[in-house]
Amino acid sequence: CENKLIEKPFTVFTPEYFKTPSGFQSGIVALYSGLRFLYGPEGAVTLGTVGTDEWTYADQPRTGAGGTQDIVTMGNYTLDLGNGQILTPWNRSYFNINLANGLVEFAAQVPMSESEKNIGLAEIRFLRALYYLNLVQHFGAVPLDLGSGELKFNQVAFQDMNRLPLAEVLTKNYQAIIDDLTFATKNLPDRRPANAFRLSKAAAFALLAKAYIHRAYSSAKQATDFENAFTAATEVINNQARYGTTLLPNFADVHRPRNDYNLEIIFSVERIPGNNNANEVGNPTGIGGGKGVDAANDFNPDYTAVRAPLVNSATQPCATRNLLYGRPIRRFCPTPWLYNVAFADKENDSRFDGSFRMVWLATQDGGGFRANIDTGFVLAKTNRIADSLNALTSPTGGRLKPYRVIAPREFYLIGGSFAQNIYPGLSKYEDPDKLTPNDTGGRPFPVIKLSEVYLLAAEAAVQLGRTNEAANFINVLKRRAAFRPGLTNAQVEARYNAIRVSPAQMNLDYILDERTRELCGESNRWPDLAIRGKLLERVKAFNPDGAANIKDFHVLRPIPRSQLDALTVPNASIYQNPGY
Amino acid sequence: QTNQVSGRVTSETGEGLPGVNIVLKGTNKGTTTDSDGKYAFAGVDANSVLIFSFIGYTTQEIVVGNQTTINVQLMLDMKTLSEVVVVGYGTQKKADVTGAITSVSETALREVPVANLQQALQGRAAGLEIQRTGTRPGAGAQIRIRGTRSISGSNEPLIVLDGIPFDGSLNDINPNDVASIEVLKDASATAIYGSRGANGILLITSKKGETGDTKVFYNGYHGIGTVANKYPLFSAAEYQAMRNISPWAEGYMPEELKSIQTGRTTDWQDLMYQGAYRTDHNLTISGGTKANTFSLGAGYFKETALLPGQDFTRFNLRTAIDSKIGKRISVGISSINSLNITNGSQFVVGGTMYPILSLSPLMPSRDSLDRIYKVPSGNILDNVTYNPLYLKENNNNWVDRVRRLRTFNSLYGEYEFFEGLKYRLNLGLSYEQQESAQFQASDLASNPSYFRPQRGNTAFVNNSQAWGYTLENLLIYDKTIAQKHRVNFTGLYSIQEGQFYNTSVRKDSITDNFVQFYNLALSTPINSSNTALGGGESRSAIISYMGRLNYAYDDKYLLTVTGRRDGSSRLAVGNKWFNYGAVSAGWNITNEDFMQDIKLLTNLKLRAGYGVTSNQSVGIYSSLGLVSNNNGLQAPGNIISYNFGNTILSGYQVSALPNANLSWEFSKTTNVGVDFGIWENRITGSIEYYHQKTDRIIYGVSLPATSGVTGNFQTNIGEMENKGFEFSISSVNVRLDNGFTWSMDINLFTNRNRILKLSNNVQRDIANQLHVGYSMTSIYDFKKLGIWQIDEAAEAARYGARPGQIKLLDYSGRDGVPDGVINDFDRHIIGNADAKLQGGMTHRITYKGFDFSTVFYARFGGLLISQIHQPDAAYLTNLDGRRNGIKVDYWTPTNPSNWFPMPGANRTVSTEWTTLGYYDASFVKIRSINFGYTFDKSILSRFGMRSVRTYFTIDNAAILFSPYFRQTGIDPEGTGTGNQGVSNPGNIRGGANGVVTISASTPPARTFTFGLNISL
């Protein structure tokens, strides 16, 4: 009868499950799935975006769970350790890291072929490295020992935090990341499947390059870091056929909807457009806190409120939200620097047009506008263009352009007019396949693209003093940027010549400017600046919202209050980052 | 010289009484009467005294003298009727009981014609708190015996039906089948249930057959329900007045303007409320011969609500057969089967009241052609709120049905080795199947769908089944040694096992509405993204050894010692077994010689006991650690998934740590009681005091994110305390020779609950509303002082407020003293929802054939949480002009109310509106008034009937006292637990042990019932 007291559950899985082949694979799936928290949702996008030279908060910043305006306080550097947005990476990473530790530990006991197992292990270690890289770039040193030893599967209720001494732990963090990625470069398949983003050697080399570069700017730096970064990056650049990647001819195609599996993107966090269940989105109209791509809505200006054809017209031709334009949540808007300086040349360089929406078609009939046919309004690239378009009259008198043309001076940029909640909207995450306009997006979210590998290679070259090579890498991107469909080769060449760079121009600031043009809005900017020691300088120079309050210590995020509250040690505050 | 006497013992009605004990006084010699009540007794002389005794009748002593025939008529005795009580695994003379047990007799249960036992028990037993948690038919109740002990585990008492633990709900049991209920309250009484005893026990005994002629009983009633209290709403004129000063700027709808011109108004409550009824019919046939008795019963019960689409139906079949084989073997079977059908409990009940209470009284319900006016909103935003009149015309537009079939069977066999030693085998078998079916039709122009405006159809089916068995081996030794030492030993070995399993499917896009949920494959597309599947399984077992010794010396000194050892599957290997013990003692003081001269005191007994029990609060499988594919996000997106291209895979994550040390929550109870009887037991009663400390309470410690585990770590860490007094008294106030009697039962009790410890250093867990040093139902919020008045404008301005806004107490500040700012530091414990004192009172008056009784129920003290008055919870007191709502007295410059703020007044603190929802919870209610007439037997016998009684009852008769009712016009009893509103105000603990709250719900009915009891 004692046997009756032994539990034999049918529907409950215990950690033993990970020692079976299907459990091992299910654990890997969970690790991939966990990345959805870090690529696309509002918390992750906020951390990578707001309070940088590129972006600041727009007119509808989120009020966080604690009643504080989390996005505002991040953007103006008054954030404290209660800030809700920093919880996204903090709360969503360690349990995945722990699972990865467990899977690595259990792998020896999983009955499957060594080759298959090594691929699995390489995926696990790549993903663990990616989680750590994300944490380190925001918080600095983070625990490698979750309670049962460094990189060990923790199954005890550990209520302390192994973060000290900071420098030593940070060194170990980077070493673990680089070791994991190095293992991945040796064991993953060369290339990803054509229509899926399973990890590949290409991804591992690309991320390894990034990891070396991050470490090279840190206190844990080693002399060979830039050289190693250069080697890893050029391995991919020089063997594109082998690794199954290439730059697309047209920049605008890289992020175009329904073109998510293009060869330029080496690794994306996957989702299926329109399939909320598969994307783990139970409440698609909810904002933040989940796994949906809030980025699809967060950058949208309030197109629905724009009156047309004139500022005082009664008609609002785009008042109806549509799938493509999404929900105008108005979290983030571009800084004047992004618009005026980084993208000073919006003609020869196609990347501004390839990244931003400036034209909205009417979304409803009325006031002379036909839905989806007539232009509702456009944002002019310069005040002069706006003025001249608005001044054109038709032969019969009246305005030639039956739509509204809005001048940059009317945009809601810092220093612009607050009268309109309208500004260039980042179009990279637009998702016409979602089910309702208010839904969160459901497209794969790129983690690393070949273009960034070129940027990493160029940066390593700059730091190694090899400016010729650096300029060559940058000019590959410039040549592609010059291309627009319909231009003749000569026209493209002329445009390329207008924007190409020389070795003499090559320095870290130029690399950062170029990263903006290539990658703006892709949730990387804040760590890109913070890691490279450029955050203070650039925020002070280019972001008036953040300039007043930013201090030296703001290059790291605070350890969240909930973490410290959950510790049972008497002096939990010793684990806090300085300044908070 | 010895003789033989013989004769017949009859009952008060003259029928032969079988099984009467006849003992020759001063000896062990005895006999019993046969099935006709006849007996013969040899070996008596003229000085012999025979003692005739029978349970429930007064004992008679008769001197034989020179009689050879002695016929005796035994009389029923109210005092002795209650003298035997059912205790766990047996029965005991009440005089011998040393624990805290309250009995509720069949008579008491029948005094209120009710849908279920929880209603019948409310206010009827000291220490048993039953709070209503719903007004719809078939709604449950929160039952607590001596308070709350667990934070996350169940606090519901264990129900034991005919000796076997019953895992169903009280709704499965037909009150008419119940012979008695015992409430076991202290550890001495409950320790024999060991790991399941901490929450107290309801021992329910069903009716059995009796030897004698076969009898037929019909018990039935039919009642008509009317609205006890309509919700008080603003009238059309009041609504207009409020709307005109509110911030709502969109203006009136054209139809509303027409109404204003013509004076047309709509009372949505009157339109929607309909007559309700409650009907109950039971037929019982019972009887038996010497060796065999039987009882067969069938019942039908149905209750409808005052709103369309909600009803509860129960069908019952019951069989009990007891049989003696030879002299030493007896066997029996009892089978209780029920089919419950509840309609409207899942989504109908939640989606009905809000529009009825919030629709504009200026909007018409029907158009000029008398067709239902589809969207009767008084604002342009609620354009998908359809007319609730569609609820009255279902047109197959929805199904909301829960069907539950339950069979509960117990079998026993008993063998008597020799007099005093018995072996008994009990076998309990139960099976339960429940289907929850929901369907909501797609919205069609020709057939608007109230629950799916502008959307397609959707269906949900959840099927579950549960089975279980209990096998018990009992050895019972019962012996009186040397006349003065009465010993009873009960030994037990038992095993219980049960399994639960369910499967659910949610599906939309069903091809046509008439399909409903009957074939979910008839859909387009077959696998839409809104298909969701669910399921689960759990199995648990308990193995127990128990021993109990009852010892009584000379009927004066009583001792009960109980020990139990339980092994449970829920706990980790190596940690499965725990021991429980209890000891209690009693002293029947009135049996002492020195008391014999005190005639006033018929009975005086002291009792005291101490023991340990535990609560099976550990979830099944929860010590194992958990790997799951649930991501903790919102359904249906809560399954960890990932896709590589179009290939969607499921992932598994560690969601909870294993805890091999996870254990029960243990309660240590001390109980002291006095039982008394005065004036020949015309007044009887008892007073008890108890103190209970529960430790090792399971509390989810939130781990730092860096531990790598997301879920809270469930561990035994909390402590809680309950203590209180219980007082019950029964008295015969008037007893006249002409047969007039007036008797009365009163019970009063208190319970103080306090959390002593939560976690290492957690003093205040606001998210879960738990506060160390305070009750589980504590309310942590701002304190509302009133409304800022015009002459307080200057003071208000210092707090950033102005007249017409809520005035909050500046309780504290950053430095622990009031700081002139209203902010988070000013939240504090402003009270709790526990009654300070509660109880019930029953009066019975009988005269000739007439009987009259009333049942009172009262609670005093504590705060009541009225979510209906919390604007953010119910949206019914927003005063924003957009919709109508509950009538409240709001402030205006000319109306200096201190209740509600000015419509549209800004909040100085974002959550301050919750403070509008706290009221004094005290109330006194007349639960029922009953008036009956029993026909004279001499008339009935001509028609071959034994007895006929008719009665008339009003239940929910009156609210005699309630500050809340007086102020708001709403019934002060709960309508649910936890937050039930449309938006969480964040200050109410929900979940399994949520606090009882009042929200907009089906209005309570006042039912007028006519009933008939016939015995043939």
Side-chain angles (χ1 to χ4, degrees), chain B residues 225-265:
Chain B
T226 59
V227 181
N229 306 108
K230 275 170 70 178
Y231 284 96
L233 303 178
F234 289 119
S235 69
E238 291 164 340
Y239 171 56
Q240 243 180 288
M242 181 268 286
R243 181 160 164 169
N244 289 342
I245 61 166
S246 77
W248 181 242
E250 297 285 344
Y252 289 93
M253 304 290 273
E255 286 287 354
E256 290 185 299
L257 292 171
K258 213 187 284 176
S259 294
I260 292 170
Q261 275 176 358
T262 61
R264 172 181 65 180
T265 65

Side-chain angles (χ1 to χ4, degrees), chain B residues 462-613:
Chain B
N462 182 14
N463 263 291
S464 65
Q465 52 172 288
W467 60 263
Y469 67 85
T470 305
L471 185 70
E472 295 174 340
N473 295 281
L474 284 151
L475 205 59
I476 302 155
Y477 180 70
D478 196 358
K479 186 79 180 171
T480 304
I481 301 163
Q483 293 182 37
K484 289 198 168 177
H485 305 272
R486 210 162 53 247
V487 177
N488 176 296
F489 175 80
T490 307
L492 166 88
Y493 166 72
S494 86
I495 178 164
Q496 294 168 51
E497 189 177 10
Q499 190 187 32
F500 170 86
Y501 158 55
N502 80 305
T503 304
S504 67
V505 191
R506 185 181 298 282
K507 183 76 192 70
D508 63 10
S509 313
I510 293 151
T511 310
D512 206 308
N513 284 337
F514 72 85
V515 175
Q516 298 186 346
F517 48 79
Y518 287 102
N519 184 348
L520 299 178
L522 298 177
S523 56
T524 314
I526 288 180
N527 287 310
S528 72
S529 60
N530 285 324
T531 306
L533 305 174
E537 181 271 348
S538 64
R539 191 197 72 91
S540 65
I542 303 175
I543 297 175
S544 311
Y545 302 90
M546 185 279 281
R548 177 182 58 201
L549 180 73
N550 292 321
Y551 171 73
Y553 174 74
D554 201 18
D555 286 340
K556 291 176 189 164
Y557 310 109
L558 314 163
L559 181 71
T560 303
V561 181
T562 310
R564 175 156 165 151
R565 178 167 170 78
D566 272 1
S568 170
S569 63
R570 297 181 193 219
L571 302 176
V573 177
N575 201 28
K576 287 183 182 295
W577 290 90
F578 285 99
N579 299 326
Y580 306 89
V583 60
S584 60
W587 181 23
N588 277 319
I589 302 173
T590 32
N591 289 347
E592 296 284 357
D593 294 340
F594 61 82
M595 292 295 288
Q596 297 310 312
D597 294 337
I598 305 175
K599 295 296 179 197
L600 178 69
L601 219 51
T602 329
N603 177 31
L604 182 65
K605 183 164 91 174
L606 284 181
R607 291 179 279 109
Y610 172 81
V612 180
T613 48

Side-chain angles (χ1 to χ4, degrees), chain A residues 396-418:
Chain A
T396 57
R399 293 169 68 239
L400 184 65
K401 297 296 177 189
Y403 48 81
R404 173 98 179 274
V405 180
I406 300 175
R409 62 171 174 266
E410 298 175 82
F411 294 177
Y412 176 60
L413 300 178
I414 299 171
S417 160
F418 280 78

Side-chain angles (χ1 to χ4, degrees), chain B residues 176-373:
Chain B
N176 194 69
D177 290 345
V178 174
S180 72
I181 296 181
E182 262 77 25
V183 185
L184 311 193
K185 296 185 288 198
D186 75 336
S188 166
T190 62
I192 41 168
Y193 289 99
S195 62
R196 307 186 69 177
N199 293 331
I201 292 160
L202 291 177
L203 280 184
I204 301 175
T205 310
S206 71
K207 289 177 183 169
K208 302 282 186 193
E210 286 168 10
T211 324
D213 295 342
T214 299
K215 297 173 190 166
V216 179
F217 303 93
Y218 166 81
N219 295 315
Y221 63 77
H222 187 82
I224 304 292
T226 59
V227 181
N229 306 108
K230 275 170 70 178
Y231 284 96
L233 303 178
F234 289 119
S235 69
E238 291 164 340
Y239 171 56
Q240 243 180 288
M242 181 268 286
R243 181 160 164 169
N244 289 342
I245 61 166
S246 77
W248 181 242
E250 297 285 344
Y252 289 93
M253 304 290 273
E255 286 287 354
E256 290 185 299
L257 292 171
K258 213 187 284 176
S259 294
I260 292 170
Q261 275 176 358
T262 61
R264 172 181 65 180
T265 65
T266 304
D267 187 325
W268 291 97
Q269 291 194 90
D270 284 351
L271 283 176
M272 290 303 297
Y273 295 161
Q274 57 186 29
Y277 67 87
R278 185 192 286 165
T279 196
D280 188 32
H281 304 279
N282 291 283
L283 198 65
T284 307
I285 302 171
S286 74
T289 60
K290 235 185 288 185
N292 300 295
T293 59
F294 71 94
S295 175
L296 309 172
Y300 167 75
F301 173 85
K302 180 160 185 176
E303 183 179 18
T304 65
L306 298 165
L307 285 171
Q310 302 175 26
D311 57 60
F312 174 74
T313 312
R314 179 175 56 223
F315 300 91
N316 278 96
L317 279 179
R318 183 178 59 83
T319 310
I321 297 171
D322 297 274
S323 187
K324 267 199 129 123
I325 305 169
K327 284 198 155 181
R328 300 199 179 278
I329 299 174
S330 46
V331 295
I333 182 170
S334 142
S335 176
I336 294 175
N337 304 286
S338 64
L339 173 65
N340 294 354
I341 301 163
T342 313
N343 284 310
S345 63
Q346 300 171 98
F347 62 82
V348 171
V349 67
T352 308
M353 279 312 293
Y354 178 68
I356 294 174
L357 301 181
S358 67
L359 280 170
S360 167
L362 295 170
M363 288 300 288
S365 63
R366 291 178 183 271
D367 67 12
S368 53
L369 299 174
D370 206 38
R371 293 171 307 199
I372 291 178
Y373 194 85

Side-chain angles (χ1 to χ4, degrees), chain B residues 26-250:
Chain B
T27 71
N28 282 334
K29 286 176 63 180
T31 184
T32 55
T33 56
D34 68 10
S35 62
D36 288 335
K38 290 180 178 153
Y39 74 96
F41 205 114
V44 294
D45 57 31
N47 296 325
S48 299
V49 177
L50 292 180
I51 304 170
F52 295 80
S53 64
F54 190 62
I55 289 170
Y57 290 83
T58 42
T59 299
Q60 288 197 28
E61 297 187 4
I62 292 177
V63 181
V64 173
N66 54 6
Q67 305 173 83
T68 54
T69 305
I70 300 177
N71 291 329
V72 179
Q73 188 173 28
L74 293 181
M75 299 307 287
L76 268 178
D77 189 293
M78 290 306 287
K79 173 201 148 205
T80 50
L81 252 187
S82 58
E83 276 219 326
V84 166
V85 294
V86 183
V87 297
Y89 305 107
T91 57
Q92 204 175 4
K93 276 176 69 184
K94 185 162 191 208
D96 288 354
V97 169
T98 52
I101 299 179
T102 303
S103 298
V104 183
S105 69
E106 183 186 348
T107 335
L109 288 173
R110 294 266 293 279
E111 264 156 358
V112 194
V114 289
N116 51 35
L117 286 174
Q118 52 264 40
Q119 289 176 20
L121 287 169
Q122 194 181 48
R124 309 310 291 277
L128 176 66
E129 176 180 30
I130 296 182
Q131 289 199 74
R132 192 177 81 186
T133 57
T135 44
R136 63 179 171 77
Q142 194 182 69
I143 305 176
R144 298 284 180 267
I145 294 177
R146 293 183 166 180
T148 301
R149 278 156 292 271
S150 184
I151 293 170
S152 55
S154 169
N155 282 297
E156 299 284 318
L158 173 68
I159 300 168
V160 176
L161 177 57
D162 287 339
I164 304 287
F166 181 77
D167 288 326
S169 107
L170 280 180
N171 269 329
D172 296 326
I173 301 173
N174 179 354
N176 194 69
D177 290 345
V178 174
S180 72
I181 296 181
E182 262 77 25
V183 185
L184 311 193
K185 296 185 288 198
D186 75 336
S188 166
T190 62
I192 41 168
Y193 289 99
S195 62
R196 307 186 69 177
N199 293 331
I201 292 160
L202 291 177
L203 280 184
I204 301 175
T205 310
S206 71
K207 289 177 183 169
K208 302 282 186 193
E210 286 168 10
T211 324
D213 295 342
T214 299
K215 297 173 190 166
V216 179
F217 303 93
Y218 166 81
N219 295 315
Y221 63 77
H222 187 82
I224 304 292
T226 59
V227 181
N229 306 108
K230 275 170 70 178
Y231 284 96
L233 303 178
F234 289 119
S235 69
E238 291 164 340
Y239 171 56
Q240 243 180 288
M242 181 268 286
R243 181 160 164 169
N244 289 342
I245 61 166
S246 77
W248 181 242
E250 297 285 344

Side-chain angles (χ1 to χ4, degrees), chain B residues 591-660:
Chain B
N591 289 347
E592 296 284 357
D593 294 340
F594 61 82
M595 292 295 288
Q596 297 310 312
D597 294 337
I598 305 175
K599 295 296 179 197
L600 178 69
L601 219 51
T602 329
N603 177 31
L604 182 65
K605 183 164 91 174
L606 284 181
R607 291 179 279 109
Y610 172 81
V612 180
T613 48
S614 73
N615 181 2
Q616 287 206 305
S617 41
V618 175
I620 295 170
Y621 307 147
S622 58
S623 71
L624 297 176
L626 192 61
V627 165
S628 99
N629 67 352
N630 192 304
N631 58 22
L633 299 174
Q634 189 171 335
N638 57 343
I639 306 298
I640 299 177
S641 311
Y642 196 72
N643 60 292
F644 297 108
N646 289 320
T647 309
I648 303 169
L649 300 171
S650 177
Y652 280 75
Q653 244 306 351
V654 183
S655 58
L657 288 176
N659 184 353

